């Protein structure tokens, strides 16, 4: 160390020596103090002061140069770290930016706030050195804080003591975080991304201090480097996501191409099978194998025509409802377990449905595309069967017409019986006749259904005026009528009034059963039971009588009008009392026991009924009319109640 000797005063040479030895400004100040203590002259002190001032200036410049060099080295290191983080993720790049900002300023805390739009709020997305969990996710929605000022002005802002600085617009939300973190000095620089200023980079100390221009400038440089790197990282990440998406799309496209190739081959195979007249079971097996799943074809009535593979036991009502949904939509509809129900149609005519459960669940909204290809082949097969049935149906229709009007037929009975036997209708087989009258809708569509239905049931059909007549094997006319009614009504979307008669064996009785079923249809119409089902067994003698009655409501009103009006207005039971009275042999005492009332009450009711109907209502001729009107009224009420209830629908 160079120091002045006790024998002489410090000189300029001592200053130069101290400067050469990289001494500090404190050592230079010591030389001046020593010179004054030794009694240096004013001239000597002046020269020494000038020399130490120049030396101090050189030392400061050297220190600044070293600081700048260190800052540049730190920025180069930061650039390298940001580049490495960029390859990782955007979030990793944000984290690296805050770490480097803290190291660059030797700060206690560094954090980065970004926003999606220029006018949107700032959100702290990365933080380094924080002591609480309040900083991350902090949203700066107003124009307060240094970051918003840096954004608005596009220039750095700093303060030596944030909470004490009244030139800053404060908010409770930000001040709360500043207090919790113990922040005093803060600097914020604009964070300029590829699209302009997108946020602010902060550095903070937990003690009061001023930030030097070099610190602010270096933080701004780091912010620019980080913004460019983050922009690149975002593009890289976006490109990576797009690349993954393209790879998935490519794999899916190749899968679709493969599926289409397989389905093209399968469709060719299916068309060949249809052309060769192969049975539906074979076609369904090929379709199920090609689609890789369980497969079933169901007719409109719910009967399964063909199936391949194992299918769960679904509730019939579920299959019915979803089947109608598919027919209405004209495309497959899903079930809850991943199965699909697809409509099978020939033009505008529904032929049935396909139930398909794939081995691999399909996530689309319109069902597996190959399913549509298989359905078209199945539709062609069903249409081929229908064409065969129609061709055969002409002969069967002619036979039915001959049986309904044998006197108009050119064939003898033995010839009719022989023809019926060839068609599977033998004299020993019991049969019933069903007549269905759609109350609107397309009769042509109903006729197509009747052809298919008669073919499926091994029966005969005829279209007469506005009604469909069916000759069906069976011994329960009510069940046969209900089955046809439940299938045809939802198909047409209109009420269907249905009458049936039977059972009977022997072809000569076909015309009589047809007349009985027609009489039931007439009775239902007169009773207001449009849309209902009835048989002669259900209507009893009314079915015969009503053929000659012009208007049941008018007839009942003419006989019982005052009594029925009294019951409706006064909530009495005069009509019920009359029914029980007649059923009890016109004995008030026995009627009272049935009604669980006192005989005097019955007598008073009868007196009141006499006032309503007149004195002669119990005469023999009036009694018969009254009992018939009561029976008609009760039967009409039963039919109206039955028609008002929704009819059950069979499965598809």
């Amino acid at each position: 160390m160079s120091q002045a000797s006790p024998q002489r005063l410090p000189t300029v040479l001592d200053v130069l020596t101290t400067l050469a030895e990289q001494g500090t400004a404190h050592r230079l100040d010591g030389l001046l103090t020593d010179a004054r203590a030794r009694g240096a002259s004013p001239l000597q002190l002046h020269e020494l002061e000038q020399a130490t001032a120049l030396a101090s200036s050189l030392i400061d410049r050297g220190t600044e140069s070293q600081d700048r060099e260190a800052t540049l080295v730190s920025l180069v290191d930061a650039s390298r770290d940001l580049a490495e983080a960029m390859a990782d993720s955007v979030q990793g790049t944000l984290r690296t930016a805050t770490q480097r900002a803290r190291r660059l300023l030797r700060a206690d805390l560094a954090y980065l706030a970004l926003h999606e739009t220029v006018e949107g709020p700032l959100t702290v997305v990365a933080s380094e050195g924080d002591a609480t969990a309040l900083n991350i996710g902090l949203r700066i929605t107003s124009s307060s804080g240094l970051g918003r000022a840096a954004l608005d002005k596009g220039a750095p802002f700093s303060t030596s003591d944030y909470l004490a600085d009244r030139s800053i617009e404060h908010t409770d939300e930000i001040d709360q975080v500043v207090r919790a973190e113990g922040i005093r000095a803060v600097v914020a620089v604009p964070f300029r991304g590829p699209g302009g200023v997108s946020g602010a980079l902060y550095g903070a100390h937990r003690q009061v201090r001023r930030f030097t221009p070099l610190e602010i400038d270096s933080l701004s440089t780091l912010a620019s480097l980080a913004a460019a790197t983050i922009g690149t990282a975002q593009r890289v990440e976006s490109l990576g996501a797009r690349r993954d998406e393209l790879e998935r799309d490519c794999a899916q496209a190749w899968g679709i191409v493969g599926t289409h190739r397989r389905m093209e081959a399968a469709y060719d195979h299916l068309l060949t099978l249809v052309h060769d007249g192969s049975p539906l079971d074979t076609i369904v097996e090929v379709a199920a194998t090609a689609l890789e799943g369980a497969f079933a074809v169901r007719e409109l009535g719910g009967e399964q025509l063909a199936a391949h593979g194992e299918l769960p036991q679904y509730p019939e009502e579920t299959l019915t409802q979803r089947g109608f949904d598919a027919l209405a939509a004209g495309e497959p509809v899903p079930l809850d377990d991943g199965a699909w129900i697809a409509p099978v149609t020939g033009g505008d005519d529904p032929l049935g449905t396909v139930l398909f459960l794939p081995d691999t669940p399909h996530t689309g909204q319109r069902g597996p595309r190959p399913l549509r290809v298989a359905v078209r082949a199945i539709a062609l097969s069903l249409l081929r069967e229908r064409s065969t049935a129609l061709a055969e149906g002409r002969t069967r229709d002619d036979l039915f017409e001959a049986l309904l009007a044998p006197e108009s037929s050119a064939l003898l009975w033995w010839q009719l019986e022989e023809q019926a036997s060839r068609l599977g209708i033998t004299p020993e087989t019991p049969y019933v006749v069903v007549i269905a009258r759609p109350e609107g809708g397309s009769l042509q569509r109903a006729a197509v259904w009747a052809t298919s239905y008669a073919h499926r049931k091994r029966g005969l059909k005829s279209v007469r005026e506005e009604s469909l007549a069916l000759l069906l094997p069976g011994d329960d006319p009510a069940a046969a009528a209900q089955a046809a009614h439940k299938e045809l009504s939802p198909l047409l979307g209109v009420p269907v009034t249905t009458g049936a008669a039977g059972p009977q064996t022997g072809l000569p009785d076909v015309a009589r059963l047809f007349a009985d079923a027609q009489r039931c249809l007439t009775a239902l119409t007169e009773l207001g039971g449009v849309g209902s089902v009835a048989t002669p067994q259900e209507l009893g003698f009314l079915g015969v009588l009503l053929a000659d009655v012009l208007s049941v409501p008018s007839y009942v009103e003419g006989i019982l009008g005052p009594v029925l009006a009294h019951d409706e207005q006064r909530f009495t039971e005069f009509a019920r009392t009359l029914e029980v009275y007649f059923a009890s042999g016109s004995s008030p005492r026995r009627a009272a026991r049935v009604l669980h009332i006192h005989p005097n009450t019955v007598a008073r009711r009868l007196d009141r009924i006499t006032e309503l109907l007149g004195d002669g209502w119990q005469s023999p001729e009036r009694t018969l009319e009254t009992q018939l009107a009561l029976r008609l009224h009760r039967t009409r009420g039963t039919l109206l109640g039955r028609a008002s209830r929704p009819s059950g629908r069979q499965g598809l």
Side-chain angles (χ1 to χ4, degrees):
M1 175 181 291
S2 175
Q3 191 73 0
S5 65
Q7 291 76 20
R8 67 181 183 84
L9 293 172
T11 64
V12 174
L13 181 61
D14 293 319
V15 173
L16 294 175
T17 302
T18 301
L19 185 61
E21 293 177 351
Q22 297 182 348
T24 63
H26 179 70
R27 287 179 58 187
L28 295 175
D29 291 341
L31 291 176
L32 284 173
T33 302
D34 191 26
R36 291 189 185 99
R38 292 178 181 277
S41 66
L43 180 60
Q44 290 175 322
L45 286 176
H46 178 71
E47 292 179 351
L48 191 59
E49 286 174 352
Q50 286 184 323
T52 55
L54 292 173
S56 296
S57 176
L58 290 174
I59 291 174
D60 290 341
R61 291 181 181 179
T63 301
E64 288 181 3
S65 178
Q66 291 175 355
D67 290 343
R68 289 187 179 278
E69 183 179 354
T71 299
L72 289 175
V73 171
S74 181
L75 289 173
V76 171
D77 292 341
S79 178
R80 183 182 62 250
D81 291 347
L82 288 170
E84 292 176 355
M86 177 185 66
D88 181 19
S89 65
V90 173
Q91 191 59 40
T93 309
L94 296 173
R95 187 167 52 251
T96 301
T98 55
Q99 291 172 349
R100 273 298 176 176
R102 183 186 180 198
R103 191 180 308 175
L104 183 67
L105 299 181
R106 299 181 181 86
D108 296 317
L109 183 68
Y111 52 98
L112 177 62
L114 299 177
H115 59 186
E116 295 181 0
T117 62
V118 176
E119 300 299 330
L122 280 171
T123 302
V124 177
V125 296
S127 182
E128 184 70 18
D130 45 338
T132 69
L134 300 177
N135 199 23
I136 291 293
L138 175 66
R139 292 173 63 85
I140 305 171
T141 57
S142 65
S143 60
S144 59
L146 292 183
R148 177 58 66 180
L151 285 176
D152 294 340
K153 301 297 183 181
F157 275 78
S158 65
T159 178
S160 60
D161 193 348
Y162 183 88
L163 294 176
D165 193 340
R166 296 306 169 190
S167 65
I168 301 172
E169 184 177 345
H170 291 266
T171 63
D172 292 339
E173 185 180 21
I174 298 177
D175 289 356
Q176 179 184 0
V177 177
V178 171
R179 290 190 186 94
E181 292 287 350
I183 295 173
R184 303 299 293 273
V186 183
V187 60
V189 299
F191 196 78
R192 292 183 175 86
V197 178
S198 59
L201 181 61
Y202 299 80
H205 291 275
R206 292 189 171 95
Q207 70 274 354
V208 177
R209 69 181 294 273
R210 293 188 180 279
F211 292 93
T212 67
L214 178 60
E215 289 177 323
I216 296 175
D217 184 62
S218 61
L219 185 63
S220 298
T221 302
L222 177 62
S224 298
L225 287 173
T229 306
I230 289 171
T232 304
Q234 290 173 336
R235 289 192 294 273
V236 169
E237 195 169 87
S238 176
L239 289 174
R242 181 59 179 162
R243 179 200 61 199
D244 295 341
E245 182 180 351
L246 290 174
E247 289 178 352
R248 289 192 300 269
D249 291 346
C250 185
Q252 184 179 8
W254 277 112
I256 293 174
V257 169
T259 301
H260 282 183
R261 288 175 177 172
R262 291 194 302 272
M263 284 312 304
E264 182 180 359
Y267 191 48
D268 288 343
H269 189 190
L270 290 171
L271 289 180
T272 301
L273 293 175
V274 173
H275 181 268
D276 293 343
S278 299
L280 186 60
D281 289 336
T282 302
I283 296 173
V284 168
E285 181 179 355
V286 172
T289 303
L291 267 68
E292 299 179 348
F295 214 88
V297 180
R298 295 163 55 84
E299 66 176 4
L300 294 176
E303 181 180 344
Q304 184 168 284
L305 301 178
H308 183 78
E310 296 184 4
L311 286 165
Q313 292 294 327
Y314 297 100
E316 193 65 30
E317 186 172 346
T318 299
L319 296 179
T320 299
Q321 183 60 50
R322 298 305 284 162
F324 278 114
D325 292 342
L327 287 168
E331 60 185 27
V333 296
L335 298 180
D336 293 337
D337 63 346
W340 294 81
I341 292 185
V344 183
T345 59
D348 294 331
D349 294 329
L351 303 175
T353 58
V354 163
L355 176 61
F356 174 57
L357 179 62
D359 295 338
T360 302
H362 178 78
T363 57
Q365 297 182 349
R366 302 184 63 188
R369 185 176 180 84
L371 175 60
R372 303 168 185 269
V373 176
V375 167
R376 285 198 292 270
I378 291 172
L380 291 175
S381 177
L382 294 180
L383 285 172
R384 177 177 56 80
E385 291 185 2
R386 171 177 285 189
S387 299
T388 303
L390 288 173
E392 180 186 308
R394 295 188 184 93
T395 302
R396 304 178 74 89
D397 291 350
D398 293 342
L399 172 62
F400 195 18
E401 292 294 340
L403 294 176
L404 292 176
E407 68 281 356
S408 302
S409 174
L411 300 178
L412 301 177
W413 269 111
W414 68 269
Q415 294 173 313
L416 291 175
E417 290 176 349
E418 182 179 344
Q419 184 178 356
S421 179
R422 288 198 302 269
L423 295 175
I425 302 173
T426 62
E428 297 80 16
T429 303
Y431 59 85
V432 298
V433 173
V434 176
I435 301 178
R437 185 183 66 212
E439 307 297 339
S442 170
L443 185 62
Q444 182 179 3
R445 188 174 186 181
V448 172
W449 168 86
T451 300
S452 174
Y453 192 77
H455 177 73
R456 285 185 271 128
K457 300 299 182 181
R458 304 291 181 183
L460 307 177
K461 82 98 172 53
S462 175
V463 179
R464 294 201 156 203
E465 296 180 353
E466 299 297 324
S467 302
L468 308 172
L470 298 169
L471 178 69
L472 303 173
D475 55 9
D476 188 342
Q482 287 288 353
H485 177 269
K486 290 180 180 180
E487 183 171 324
L488 182 57
S489 294
L491 178 64
L492 298 180
V494 298
V496 176
T497 307
T498 310
Q504 189 63 52
T505 56
L507 298 181
D509 289 317
V510 170
R512 180 179 61 81
L513 291 188
F514 177 84
D516 291 345
Q518 184 66 53
R519 190 174 291 111
C520 289
L521 208 64
T522 303
L524 286 174
T525 303
E526 295 298 334
L527 289 168
V530 172
S532 297
V533 178
T535 63
Q537 292 83 351
E538 293 176 327
L539 294 177
F541 74 94
L542 292 178
V544 178
L545 294 178
L546 289 176
D548 298 324
V549 175
L550 296 178
S551 174
V552 171
S554 299
Y555 180 81
V556 173
E557 178 66 23
I559 302 298
L560 294 176
V563 171
L564 298 178
H566 191 280
D567 283 350
E568 183 177 356
Q569 296 169 3
R570 306 286 183 86
F571 301 102
T572 54
E573 294 186 343
F574 287 177
R576 167 68 174 156
T577 301
L578 278 176
E579 283 192 284
V580 175
Y581 174 69
F582 286 126
S584 302
S586 300
S587 170
R589 186 174 299 278
R590 287 197 295 270
R593 285 199 298 269
V594 174
L595 294 170
H596 303 291
I597 58 178
H598 196 275
N600 292 340
T601 302
V602 175
R604 286 194 297 272
R605 290 183 180 180
L606 293 176
D607 290 341
R608 180 60 178 146
I609 289 171
T610 300
E611 295 177 5
L612 295 172
L613 299 182
D615 294 334
W617 71 272
Q618 294 197 64
S619 62
E621 62 276 10
R622 291 281 301 278
T623 297
L624 178 60
E625 291 180 350
T626 303
Q627 292 186 61
L628 176 59
L630 287 169
R631 182 68 179 273
L632 288 171
H633 176 67
R634 178 160 52 83
T635 303
R636 185 169 182 267
T638 301
L639 291 173
L640 289 175
R642 183 186 304 172
S644 65
R645 294 191 298 270
S647 61
R649 295 189 296 185
Q650 292 181 329
L652 292 177

